[in-house]
């Protein structure tokens, strides 16, 4: 097997991932590493209130970690217990529109992989393209369309993270989707399922673009998740992601305001929290 034939740039990236993994591995309060990683998105941070926190650390105190610049993202990594399971939680994530490279956006996922995470659960806020969607709907992501100008696998492949030509078939685990669907059914929560289009932002889309994104097959559109899922799939993680539909991008398009997006996200929070908790319980 070829070993350490990486050029300086990629060797340095791998070394940073390993250094951060080592640092966090030492902070891990449990005997084993948690197997469930969670990335909490916009206005969905309430899940944190249900976590029994055993250790937490600000992103700024983690070596090599990017630091979050968006006010609504608090930027903390948490080792805790939720639904009787040990979890590693990112409270706040990194967006491409903040100026990070896609490799930087994917950095924490790669650390998760080396720490021993097997399942990655993500939430986000998204605009609804599907005409059947209503404000505050929860959509389980069944697949995605990458509209970012690149992806975190470009460049030399780091074999320790994953293989060169990653198959994107079933990037969102059917097993996890099935569990979440039956959890929602048992809880009496109505859910949607559909395709998430990820694009760079930070501007929202023009009505013509919303129309285009619907025509190419999107049900919801947002500015995150896709880079993380690509890195996670490369790393062989089982992925699950949900969008909260925070604005409607079909019919007569009206201007949205960010406050309204956060407001809608927080209204959907209790239901999304229940689904995540039940899903985690079943893992
Ligand atoms: N477009 C892109 N990202 C979003 C939207 C949107 O309409 N709503 C929430 N995030």
């Amino acid at each position: 097997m070829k070993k350490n034939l990486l050029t300086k740039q990629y060797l340095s990236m791998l070394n940073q991932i390993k250094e951060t993994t080592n640092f966090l591995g030492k902070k891990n309060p449990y005997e084993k590493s948690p197997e469930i990683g969670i990335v909490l998105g916009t206005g969905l941070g309430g899940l944190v209130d249900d976590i029994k926190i055993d250790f937490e650390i600000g992103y700024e105190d983690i070596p090599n970690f990017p630091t979050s610049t968006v006010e609504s993202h608090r930027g903390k990594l948490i080792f805790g217990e939720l639904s009787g399971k040990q979890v590693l939680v990112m409270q706040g994530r990194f967006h491409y529109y903040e100026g990070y490279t896609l490799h930087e956006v994917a950095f924490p996922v790669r650390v998760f992989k080396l720490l021993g995470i097997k399942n990655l659960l993500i939430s986000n806020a998204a605009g609804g393209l599907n005409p059947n969607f209503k404000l505050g709907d929860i959509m389980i992501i069944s697949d995605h369309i990458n509209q970012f100008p690149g992806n975190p696998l470009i460049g030399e492949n780091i074999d320790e993270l994953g293989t060169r030509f990653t198959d994107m078939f079933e990037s969102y685990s059917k097993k996890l989707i099935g569990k979440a669907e039956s959890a929602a059914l048992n809880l009496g929560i109505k859910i949607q399922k559909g395709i998430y289009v990820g694009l760079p932002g930070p501007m929202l889309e023009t009505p013509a673009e919303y129309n285009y994104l619907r025509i190419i097959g999107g049900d919801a559109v947002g500015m995150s998740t896709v880079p993380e899922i690509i890195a996670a799939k490369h790393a062989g993680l089982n992925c699950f992601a949900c969008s909260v539909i925070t604005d409607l991008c079909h019919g007569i398009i009206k201007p949205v305001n960010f406050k309204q997006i956060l407001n809608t996200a927080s209204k959907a929070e209790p239901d999304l929290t229940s689904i995540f908790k039940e899903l985690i319980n079943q893992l």
Side-chain angles (χ1 to χ4, degrees):
M1 201 172 109
K2 83 174 178 186
K3 257 196 149 169
N4 278 352
L5 289 179
L6 294 169
T7 57
K8 253 189 178 162
Q9 182 193 355
Y10 289 91
L11 190 57
S12 140
M13 185 163 90
L14 177 61
N15 284 339
Q16 284 192 353
I17 294 166
K18 284 183 173 170
E19 186 187 14
T20 309
T21 304
N22 227 337
F23 173 87
L24 290 171
K26 287 189 189 128
K27 305 283 183 199
N28 172 21
Y30 310 119
E31 236 164 71
K32 277 177 47 190
S33 177
E35 293 192 350
I36 302 167
I38 307 173
V39 182
L40 299 173
T42 307
L44 303 167
L47 188 64
V48 136
D49 299 335
D50 291 298
I51 299 175
K52 181 183 150 290
I53 298 177
D54 290 314
F55 177 77
E56 64 175 27
I57 184 166
Y59 290 164
E60 64 282 2
D61 296 321
I62 305 174
N64 310 317
F65 234 61
T67 38
S68 184
T69 60
V70 181
E71 249 178 69
S72 58
H73 293 252
R74 276 163 285 176
K76 258 193 278 175
L77 192 73
I78 297 165
F79 286 88
E81 276 174 43
L82 182 66
S83 304
K85 302 278 158 65
Q86 292 164 353
V87 293
L88 182 55
V89 179
M90 280 183 71
Q91 189 181 25
R93 61 141 63 90
F94 307 104
H95 297 90
Y96 181 71
Y97 64 73
E98 294 174 85
Y100 301 112
T101 65
L102 291 167
H103 284 91
E104 285 168 331
V105 171
F107 183 87
V109 173
R110 289 167 163 167
V111 171
F112 274 24
K113 157 74 178 175
L114 294 196
L115 274 171
I117 295 293
K118 303 273 188 285
N119 301 297
L120 183 69
L121 316 183
I122 295 186
S123 70
N124 63 41
L129 300 166
N130 185 320
N132 296 322
F133 288 3
K134 298 188 184 57
L135 272 190
D137 273 0
I138 292 170
M139 182 189 90
I140 291 178
I141 301 180
S142 57
D143 204 348
H144 74 224
I145 298 174
N146 181 18
Q147 292 276 289
F148 283 85
N151 67 70
L153 309 190
I154 286 176
E156 283 177 59
N157 187 59
I158 302 178
D159 294 342
E160 285 179 59
L161 298 175
T163 56
R164 168 81 293 185
F165 297 105
T166 300
D167 193 327
M168 291 302 285
F169 184 77
E170 214 183 302
S171 295
Y172 299 82
S173 157
K174 283 220 167 75
K175 200 169 128 203
L176 297 184
I177 291 174
K179 283 181 192 293
E181 283 179 317
S182 53
L185 195 68
N186 289 340
L187 291 160
I189 298 169
K190 186 178 155 255
I191 42 161
Q192 307 280 7
K193 195 160 71 169
I195 294 167
Y196 176 90
V197 189
L199 33 69
M203 67 288 180
L204 298 166
E205 291 68 39
T206 64
E209 286 166 337
Y210 286 134
N211 192 29
Y212 160 76
L213 297 172
R214 179 67 186 152
I215 289 169
I216 65 168
D219 293 295
V221 53
M223 305 171 192
S224 67
T225 304
V226 168
E228 291 104 314
I229 295 290
I230 293 172
K233 181 72 175 150
H234 178 241
L237 305 186
N238 303 314
C239 302
F240 174 81
C242 269
S243 296
V244 172
I245 305 302
T246 52
D247 54 294
L248 298 180
C249 316
H250 53 74
I252 298 163
I253 312 277
K254 296 193 206 90
V256 289
N257 79 38
F258 191 62
K259 238 185 175 165
Q260 190 187 313
I261 287 183
L262 290 183
N263 204 11
T264 309
S266 60
K267 275 193 197 139
E269 195 174 286
D271 279 352
L272 191 67
T273 303
S274 302
I275 295 172
F276 266 59
K277 277 164 60 179
E278 191 48 39
L279 172 61
I280 290 163
N281 185 38
Q282 288 179 35
L283 286 178

